[in-house]
Amino acid sequence: MQRALRDRAVDQLNDHYELRRKIAREPELASILEEFIGRLERAFGSLEGVRGKRILDIASGSNSSRSPDTGKRTALFEPWFARLLLELGAEPVALDSGDLEGERFEHHRVDLGRPGAMDFLPAASFDGVQDSRLFGSPEFRKAYPRKRDHERVKAEIARQERRVLKPNGVLIHTDNPSGSFLP
Protein backbone atom coordinates (compact mmCIF):
# COMPACT_ATOMS: atom_id res chain seq x y z
CA MET A 1 0.00 0.00 0.00
CA GLN A 2 2.75 2.43 1.01
CA ARG A 3 4.76 1.75 -2.17
CA ALA A 4 1.65 2.02 -4.38
CA LEU A 5 0.71 5.37 -2.83
CA ARG A 6 4.25 6.67 -3.32
CA ASP A 7 4.38 5.48 -6.93
CA ARG A 8 0.97 6.97 -7.71
CA ALA A 9 2.01 10.33 -6.23
CA VAL A 10 5.22 10.36 -8.29
CA ASP A 11 3.27 9.46 -11.45
CA GLN A 12 0.87 12.33 -10.77
CA LEU A 13 3.79 14.71 -10.22
CA ASN A 14 5.13 13.60 -13.58
CA ASP A 15 1.75 14.11 -15.28
CA HIS A 16 1.25 17.60 -13.82
CA TYR A 17 4.83 18.93 -13.70
CA GLU A 18 6.98 16.84 -16.10
CA LEU A 19 8.87 15.43 -13.14
CA ARG A 20 10.84 12.77 -15.06
CA ARG A 21 12.02 15.27 -17.68
CA LYS A 22 13.14 17.64 -14.92
CA ILE A 23 14.96 14.82 -13.08
CA ALA A 24 16.75 13.91 -16.31
CA ARG A 25 17.95 17.50 -16.57
CA GLU A 26 18.64 17.96 -12.83
CA PRO A 27 19.22 14.52 -11.23
CA GLU A 28 19.46 16.00 -7.70
CA LEU A 29 15.69 16.48 -7.84
CA ALA A 30 15.18 12.73 -7.32
CA SER A 31 17.04 12.80 -3.99
CA ILE A 32 15.11 15.92 -2.91
CA LEU A 33 11.81 14.07 -3.46
CA GLU A 34 13.11 11.02 -1.60
CA GLU A 35 14.11 13.29 1.28
CA PHE A 36 10.62 14.82 1.37
CA ILE A 37 8.99 11.38 1.32
CA GLY A 38 11.23 10.27 4.21
CA ARG A 39 10.34 13.35 6.24
CA LEU A 40 6.64 12.68 5.81
CA GLU A 41 6.98 9.00 6.73
CA ARG A 42 8.92 9.88 9.89
CA ALA A 43 6.53 12.69 10.88
CA PHE A 44 3.24 10.85 10.25
CA GLY A 45 4.26 7.18 10.50
CA SER A 46 3.41 6.53 6.86
CA LEU A 47 2.44 8.34 3.69
CA GLU A 48 -1.17 7.30 4.36
CA GLY A 49 -0.99 9.29 7.59
CA VAL A 50 -0.66 12.52 5.57
CA ARG A 51 -4.14 12.25 4.01
CA GLY A 52 -6.45 15.02 5.17
CA LYS A 53 -3.74 16.83 7.14
CA ARG A 54 -3.40 20.60 6.78
CA ILE A 55 0.32 21.25 6.42
CA LEU A 56 2.20 24.54 6.17
CA ASP A 57 5.28 24.68 3.93
CA ILE A 58 7.32 27.76 4.87
CA ALA A 59 9.74 28.88 2.12
CA SER A 60 8.14 26.37 -0.22
CA GLY A 61 10.10 27.30 -3.31
CA SER A 62 8.49 28.77 -6.36
CA ASN A 63 8.21 28.68 -10.11
CA SER A 64 10.61 31.61 -10.33
CA SER A 65 13.39 30.09 -8.19
CA ARG A 66 16.97 30.39 -9.31
CA SER A 67 20.02 28.28 -8.57
CA PRO A 68 22.29 29.77 -5.90
CA ASP A 69 25.27 28.49 -7.94
CA THR A 70 24.38 29.55 -11.48
CA GLY A 71 21.64 32.14 -11.00
CA LYS A 72 19.64 30.32 -13.68
CA ARG A 73 16.07 29.08 -13.33
CA THR A 74 15.99 25.64 -11.69
CA ALA A 75 13.43 22.94 -10.98
CA LEU A 76 15.25 22.07 -7.74
CA PHE A 77 13.55 24.90 -5.88
CA GLU A 78 10.04 24.49 -7.26
CA PRO A 79 7.38 23.80 -4.58
CA TRP A 80 7.83 20.01 -4.66
CA PHE A 81 6.95 19.42 -1.02
CA ALA A 82 3.56 21.13 -1.33
CA ARG A 83 2.95 19.40 -4.67
CA LEU A 84 3.75 16.02 -3.11
CA LEU A 85 1.45 16.73 -0.18
CA LEU A 86 -1.38 17.54 -2.57
CA GLU A 87 -0.90 14.29 -4.49
CA LEU A 88 -0.92 12.37 -1.18
CA GLY A 89 -4.29 13.84 -0.22
CA ALA A 90 -3.09 16.48 2.25
CA GLU A 91 -4.12 20.12 2.30
CA PRO A 92 -0.87 22.03 1.76
CA VAL A 93 -0.48 25.76 2.29
CA ALA A 94 2.71 27.18 0.77
CA LEU A 95 4.46 30.42 1.66
CA ASP A 96 7.19 31.91 -0.49
CA SER A 97 8.32 35.25 -1.85
CA GLY A 98 8.49 33.83 -5.38
CA ASP A 99 5.84 33.10 -7.99
CA LEU A 100 3.35 30.35 -7.10
CA GLU A 101 0.59 31.37 -9.55
CA GLY A 102 -1.08 28.43 -11.24
CA GLU A 103 -0.33 25.98 -8.43
CA ARG A 104 -3.26 23.80 -7.39
CA PHE A 105 -2.76 24.25 -3.64
CA GLU A 106 -3.34 27.22 -1.37
CA HIS A 107 -0.39 29.56 -1.53
CA HIS A 108 0.58 33.02 -0.37
CA ARG A 109 3.36 35.29 -1.56
CA VAL A 110 5.02 36.65 1.57
CA ASP A 111 8.32 38.22 2.54
CA LEU A 112 9.36 35.86 5.33
CA GLY A 113 12.01 38.33 6.46
CA ARG A 114 9.36 40.85 7.44
CA PRO A 115 8.28 40.70 11.11
CA GLY A 116 4.71 39.46 11.40
CA ALA A 117 4.63 38.19 7.80
CA MET A 118 2.74 35.07 8.91
CA ASP A 119 0.38 36.78 11.34
CA PHE A 120 -2.49 36.32 8.85
CA LEU A 121 -2.44 32.55 9.43
CA PRO A 122 -4.90 31.40 12.12
CA ALA A 123 -3.45 30.08 15.36
CA ALA A 124 -3.52 26.31 15.94
CA SER A 125 -4.59 25.66 12.35
CA PHE A 126 -1.96 23.22 11.02
CA ASP A 127 -1.34 19.53 11.67
CA GLY A 128 2.24 19.92 10.48
CA VAL A 129 4.77 22.58 9.57
CA GLN A 130 7.90 22.41 7.49
CA ASP A 131 10.42 25.15 6.98
CA SER A 132 13.25 24.33 4.69
CA ARG A 133 15.86 26.12 2.61
CA LEU A 134 14.92 29.71 3.46
CA PHE A 135 18.37 30.59 4.77
CA GLY A 136 20.09 29.05 1.74
CA SER A 137 17.88 30.93 -0.71
CA PRO A 138 19.87 33.39 -2.84
CA GLU A 139 16.87 35.72 -2.87
CA PHE A 140 16.66 35.71 0.93
CA ARG A 141 20.42 36.12 1.39
CA LYS A 142 20.43 39.09 -0.98
CA ALA A 143 17.49 40.78 0.77
CA TYR A 144 18.73 39.96 4.29
CA PRO A 145 22.54 39.67 4.18
CA ARG A 146 23.30 40.42 7.84
CA LYS A 147 23.65 37.74 10.50
CA ARG A 148 21.39 39.70 12.88
CA ASP A 149 18.65 39.60 10.19
CA HIS A 150 18.95 35.81 10.07
CA GLU A 151 18.75 35.53 13.84
CA ARG A 152 15.67 37.76 13.95
CA VAL A 153 13.96 35.75 11.19
CA LYS A 154 14.84 32.43 12.86
CA ALA A 155 13.25 33.62 16.09
CA GLU A 156 10.15 34.85 14.24
CA ILE A 157 9.74 31.55 12.38
CA ALA A 158 10.09 29.56 15.62
CA ARG A 159 7.45 31.79 17.25
CA GLN A 160 5.09 31.40 14.31
CA GLU A 161 5.57 27.63 14.14
CA ARG A 162 4.52 27.33 17.79
CA ARG A 163 1.56 29.62 17.18
CA VAL A 164 0.12 27.93 14.06
CA LEU A 165 0.62 24.28 15.06
CA LYS A 166 -2.41 22.50 16.47
CA PRO A 167 -1.98 20.73 19.80
CA ASN A 168 -0.04 17.55 19.00
CA GLY A 169 0.95 19.07 15.64
CA VAL A 170 4.21 17.93 14.08
CA LEU A 171 7.26 19.91 13.12
CA ILE A 172 8.14 17.92 10.02
CA HIS A 173 11.49 19.54 9.36
CA THR A 174 13.21 22.78 10.20
CA ASP A 175 16.40 24.44 9.07
CA ASN A 176 16.00 26.54 12.20
CA PRO A 177 17.61 24.77 15.19
CA SER A 178 15.90 27.18 17.60
CA GLY A 179 12.58 25.69 16.43
CA SER A 180 13.57 22.21 17.55
CA PHE A 181 11.92 22.50 20.99
CA LEU A 182 8.42 22.50 19.60
CA PRO A 183 5.94 20.06 21.13
Side-chain angles (χ1 to χ4, degrees):
M1 176 77 170
Q2 182 83 353
R3 184 62 162 175
L5 180 58
R6 180 191 179 283
D7 291 347
R8 188 174 72 240
V10 169
D11 286 343
Q12 290 170 328
L13 288 172
N14 185 59
D15 292 346
H16 292 117
Y17 307 103
E18 299 179 316
L19 176 62
R20 288 184 185 92
R21 182 182 64 77
K22 291 177 180 181
I23 288 174
R25 197 173 59 228
E26 296 179 271
E28 311 94 285
L29 182 52
S31 62
I32 290 168
L33 278 174
E34 288 301 320
E35 184 179 316
F36 289 162
I37 288 168
R39 287 177 187 174
L40 290 170
E41 289 172 333
R42 285 187 298 280
F44 293 99
S46 69
L47 293 179
E48 292 91 0
V50 173
R51 180 171 298 287
K53 302 288 188 205
R54 185 164 164 83
I55 300 173
L56 180 63
D57 187 8
I58 301 172
S60 64
S62 71
N63 297 312
S64 56
S65 295
R66 304 224 171 254
S67 166
D69 300 324
T70 67
K72 294 181 180 177
R73 168 88 179 74
T74 179
L76 298 178
F77 295 106
E78 290 180 18
W80 294 108
F81 190 75
R83 290 171 176 172
L84 177 63
L85 288 169
L86 186 66
E87 300 305 343
L88 292 170
E91 298 173 24
V93 176
L95 304 179
D96 201 87
S97 63
D99 176 27
L100 288 167
E101 286 306 311
E103 292 295 340
R104 300 176 308 131
F105 48 81
E106 182 181 341
H107 55 276
H108 302 275
R109 196 170 197 166
V110 297
D111 178 353
L112 293 165
R114 195 178 96 288
M118 294 187 285
D119 286 351
F120 71 95
L121 296 169
S125 59
F126 291 95
D127 300 294
V129 174
Q130 169 175 270
D131 74 75
S132 183
R133 303 201 238 181
L134 173 63
F135 299 100
S137 159
E139 295 92 351
F140 180 81
R141 289 191 314 229
K142 183 178 179 184
Y144 300 98
R146 298 180 309 212
K147 181 177 167 97
R148 71 174 173 235
D149 290 329
H150 290 220
E151 295 307 314
R152 177 186 53 77
V153 172
K154 284 180 181 183
E156 174 72 0
I157 287 175
R159 180 184 77 79
Q160 293 284 8
E161 287 170 338
R162 285 189 305 276
R163 186 183 71 76
V164 302
L165 269 173
K166 291 178 179 177
N168 300 313
V170 182
L171 183 60
I172 297 165
H173 177 82
T174 182
D175 286 337
N176 179 9
S178 66
S180 61
F181 61 87
L182 291 167

